[in-house]
């Protein structure tokens, strides 16, 4: 490098119109007399020209729909976790938002805003910090001892009668376990088959006689699961019949009405470009079919390959618990939610 | 047309259509910001949705004093850092075979021009090389370059978004462009034009 780095930095800033007029004039003057910097300047300009040749991408057709669904799931999940939150529990992680405090180091994560503390919590905390211990009589010690014995006895009986640790009611933990199980099953790769340059995918035997299937998206970004699941008309009817509330039936009806309907011809699913591009973001001649827990999943080959080779991010809490209707949503794709075909 | 802070105020007051307008206005910018970080359309959409989701659920924390795009892209930066942490062990390399929503490969996103085929091929090769070179930039340099190139942010806006001084933005931009230039020069060695790698004489 012939000239000092300061000048070199200014060459880039000059291209981006980030210099003061005085400095700009000075750099132009330098360029007139320095062939090496002129050469460097041209090379820098060519980088920006090349960057302009990378096209802008547009959101897919389902972008808005998925966003709306994720927002409603997040709100629902937040409400549910508020209800389930017990004192002392860590709770479910809420998304971090932009900070209110600036941080000068780019490598450090900007501190998220702390969750708002309720007035009641603040008052209790203040009282606890200033309250002096009250004098205790001997009877209090007896009561405390008896309470400790009861707690010990209950804990011991829990391990005796529920040796597997009892039921885990934390929906986030349940989702984590379910995701890990699905990932292991899929990764085992027992039942999957890659279809190259074909647009007819063999259906599982129990679905081969159906005339058409509804294809619904399944996407759990936190766990890198993104595929579509095929449902028969019988599945739809069974789900609608099992819906307890009219609102649930309506939700199911809307989901299926919005689904892509794909014909089954000669026991094979006719893969349409719409089906794949709408939900998988892939090309229509490279898909993977997977039979898992009685459900049929279709993945874009590249997405599935990435998924199989990835390590599942299991510490991340998904956006929401399974939907009430029983129809898999973006955050719920467990096989158990789909009735056996 | 209403400004972003006006829409944000209306949204805070309960007008959901104001949020829709904000999404429409900023979705392409954010999507392309993330797309240049991950080169995966589907993942870029997920991250873009994550930003809007955080904006939605934390609407009351926006202070109108801050420029809206600065605020929005700061959320974007946080989402990106969260993503990097989550996927630290599974980071993938960019592939020019990565699919775009239209089903074409990433390499095919380079626009076609009616010019000399050899020249077109050379420029497409340049853009392909640039995609790989951008992906290899250190994360903090990459963010500065993408915010400037895709979002058209000025240095002071990038500084506010990333929480760094303008001088640091300028320095990171220079080092990013210099690395990109050297990568392009290495791949174009022997070709005619302005490309020269570090140390190569004129």
């Amino acid at each position: 490098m012939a000239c000092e780095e300061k000048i070199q930095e200014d060459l880039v800033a000059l291209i981006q119109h980030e210099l003061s007029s005085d400095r700009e004039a000075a750099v132009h003057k330098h360029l007139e007399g320095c062939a090496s910097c002129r050469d460097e300047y041209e090379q820098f300009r060519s980088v920006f020209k090349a960057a302009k040749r990378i096209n802008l991408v547009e959101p897919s057709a389902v972008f808005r729909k998925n966003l709306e669904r994720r927002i409603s799931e997040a709100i629902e999940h937040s409400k549910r976790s508020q209800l389930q939150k017990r004192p002392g529990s860590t709770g479910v992680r809420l998304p971090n938002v932009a900070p209110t405090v600036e941080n000068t180091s780019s490598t450090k994560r900007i501190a998220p805003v702390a969750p708002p503390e309720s007035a009641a919590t603040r008052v209790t905390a203040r009282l606890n910090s200033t309250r002096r211990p009250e004098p205790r009589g001997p009877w209090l010690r007896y009561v405390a001892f008896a309470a400790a014995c009861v707690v010990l006895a209950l804990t011991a009986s829990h391990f005796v009668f529920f040796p597997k640790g009892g039921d885990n009611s934390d929906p986030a933990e349940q989702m984590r376990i379910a995701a890990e199980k699905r990932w292991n099953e899929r990764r085992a790769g027992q039942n999957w088959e890659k279809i190259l340059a074909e647009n007819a995918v063999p259906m599982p035997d129990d679905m081969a006689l159906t005339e058409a299937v509804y294809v619904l998206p399944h996407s759990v970004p936190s766990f890198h699961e993104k595929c579509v699941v095929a449902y028969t008309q019988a599945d739809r009817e069974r789900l609608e019949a099992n819906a307890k509330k009219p609102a649930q039936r309506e939700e199911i009806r809307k989901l299926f009405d919005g689904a892509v309907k794909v014909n089954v011809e000669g026991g094979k699913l006719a893969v349409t470009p719409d089906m794949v591009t709408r939900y998988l973001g892939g090309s229509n001649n490279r898909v993977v079919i997977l039979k898992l827990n009685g459900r049929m999943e279709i993945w874009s080959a590249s997405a599935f390959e990435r998924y199989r080779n990835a390590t599942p991010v299991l510490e991340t809490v998904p956006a929401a618990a399974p939907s009430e209707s029983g129809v898999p949503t973006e955050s719920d794709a467990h096989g158990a939610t789909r009735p056996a075909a | 047309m209403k400004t972003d802070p006006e829409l944000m105020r209306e949204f805070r007051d309960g007008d959901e259509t104001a949020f829709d307008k904000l999404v429409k206005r900023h979705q392409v910018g954010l999507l392309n910001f993330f797309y240049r970080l991950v080169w995966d359309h589907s993942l870029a959409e997920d991250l873009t949705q994550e930003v809007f989701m955080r904006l939605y659920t934390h609407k009351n924390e926006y202070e109108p004093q801050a420029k809206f795009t600065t605020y929005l892209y700061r959320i974007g930066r946080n989402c990106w850092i969260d993503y990097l942490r989550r996927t630290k062990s599974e980071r993938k390399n960019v592939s020019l075979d990565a699919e775009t929503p239209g089903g074409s490969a990433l390499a095919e996103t380079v626009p076609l021009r009616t010019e000399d085929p050899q020249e077109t091929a050379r420029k497409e090769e340049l853009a392909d090389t640039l995609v790989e070179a951008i992906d290899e930039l250190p994360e903090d340099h990459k963010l500065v370059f993408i915010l400037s190139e895709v979002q058209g942010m000025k240095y002071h806006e990038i500084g506010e978004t990333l929480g760094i001084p303008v001088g640091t933005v300028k320095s990171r931009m220079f080092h990013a462009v210099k690395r990109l230039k050297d990568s392009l020069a290495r791949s174009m060695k022997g070709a005619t034009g302005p490309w020269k790698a570090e140390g190569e004489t004129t």
Side-chain angles (χ1 to χ4, degrees), chain A residues 25-275:
Chain A
V27 175
H28 274 302
K29 198 174 175 188
H30 174 83
L31 281 175
E32 282 170 20
C34 181
S36 162
C37 279
R38 272 204 306 276
D39 190 37
E40 197 83 347
Y41 177 73
E42 283 308 315
Q43 291 189 51
F44 287 148
R45 267 167 45 102
S46 299
V47 170
F48 290 107
K49 279 185 195 165
K52 295 273 181 291
R53 292 182 67 83
I54 303 170
N55 274 358
L56 288 178
V57 290
E58 292 288 331
S60 68
V62 288
F63 175 82
R64 295 296 292 273
K65 200 175 166 189
N66 286 343
L67 174 62
E68 283 162 22
R69 193 178 297 145
R70 284 180 69 176
I71 287 172
S72 57
E73 283 171 1
I75 292 168
E76 188 62 30
H77 185 58
S78 173
K79 280 182 194 164
R80 224 173 285 161
S81 61
Q82 288 289 327
L83 287 173
Q84 288 173 350
K85 211 170 182 179
R86 289 168 302 186
S89 72
T90 51
V92 175
R93 199 185 74 154
L94 285 172
N96 295 322
V97 293
T100 52
V101 181
E102 294 292 334
N103 188 325
T104 52
S105 167
S106 73
T107 52
K108 285 181 186 169
R109 173 76 160 77
I110 297 176
V113 177
E117 195 181 30
S118 74
T121 316
R122 282 198 300 273
V123 170
T124 313
R126 201 173 300 149
L127 281 175
N128 287 341
S129 65
T130 55
R131 189 179 289 157
R132 278 183 292 178
E134 292 169 10
R136 293 177 183 176
W139 63 272
L140 199 60
R141 282 200 291 274
Y142 296 140
V143 171
F145 179 73
C149 288
V150 170
V151 169
L152 268 174
L154 284 174
T155 311
S157 67
H158 177 81
F159 282 108
V160 170
F161 294 111
F162 304 102
K164 286 179 182 172
D167 63 328
N168 189 339
S169 59
D170 182 0
E173 179 61 9
Q174 286 175 352
M175 288 292 285
R176 190 195 69 77
I177 293 166
E180 189 172 27
K181 184 169 173 280
R182 288 198 302 277
W183 182 78
N184 283 330
E185 284 170 342
R186 286 180 182 136
R187 199 177 199 190
Q190 296 297 321
N191 300 315
W192 68 276
E193 179 184 354
K194 192 177 281 187
I195 311 296
L196 291 172
E198 275 186 35
N199 61 359
V201 178
M203 295 286 284
D205 290 342
D206 51 359
M207 293 175 89
L209 292 176
T210 190
E211 287 178 2
V213 289
Y214 297 95
V215 176
L216 283 167
H218 157 54
S219 171
V220 186
S222 303
F223 297 132
H224 304 277
E225 294 178 3
K226 191 173 179 69
C227 59
V228 295
V229 182
Y231 290 85
T232 62
Q233 178 65 27
D235 289 335
R236 176 183 183 163
E237 286 166 7
R238 197 178 296 117
L239 280 164
E240 285 182 343
N242 289 344
K244 289 171 190 162
K245 298 174 189 169
Q248 288 176 350
R249 269 195 298 279
E250 183 62 15
E251 189 191 336
I252 292 167
R253 193 186 61 76
K254 273 187 189 167
L255 267 171
F256 277 95
D257 285 349
V260 176
K261 205 167 181 184
V262 184
N263 290 331
V264 178
E265 292 157 1
K268 288 185 173 181
L269 183 72
V271 177
T272 63
D274 186 24
M275 182 188 91

Side-chain angles (χ1 to χ4, degrees), chain B residues 36-84:
Chain B
R36 276 148 182 77
L37 288 169
V38 296
W39 302 110
D40 179 324
H41 190 273
S42 164
L43 185 53
E45 279 202 348
D46 285 343
L47 289 164
T48 307
Q49 285 166 1
E50 179 74 20
V51 172
F52 286 124
M53 212 169 81
R54 291 185 190 191
L55 182 71
Y56 188 100
T57 51
H58 293 76
K59 58 187 170 192
N60 293 327
E61 287 161 25
Y62 169 67
E63 294 294 334
Q65 295 95 310
K67 195 180 173 192
F68 181 76
T69 44
T70 305
Y71 180 78
L72 191 68
Y73 280 82
R74 212 181 289 175
I75 301 176
R77 170 198 186 270
N78 286 353
C79 287
W80 172 239
I81 291 173
D82 284 348
Y83 167 78
L84 289 179

Side-chain angles (χ1 to χ4, degrees), chain A residues 9-21 23-24 27-28 41 45 48 52, chain B residues 148-149 152-156 166 170 173:
Chain A
E9 274 190 24
D10 283 347
L11 293 179
V12 173
L14 179 70
I15 295 166
Q16 299 197 287
H17 309 290
E18 289 280 355
L19 292 180
S20 66
S21 50
R23 185 63 195 157
E24 199 174 307
V27 175
H28 274 302
Y41 177 73
R45 267 167 45 102
F48 290 107
K52 295 273 181 291
Chain B
S148 165
E149 267 312 282
M153 280 190 185
K154 303 297 284 180
Y155 285 5
H156 74 273
V166 173
K170 189 179 172 189
M173 176 60 82

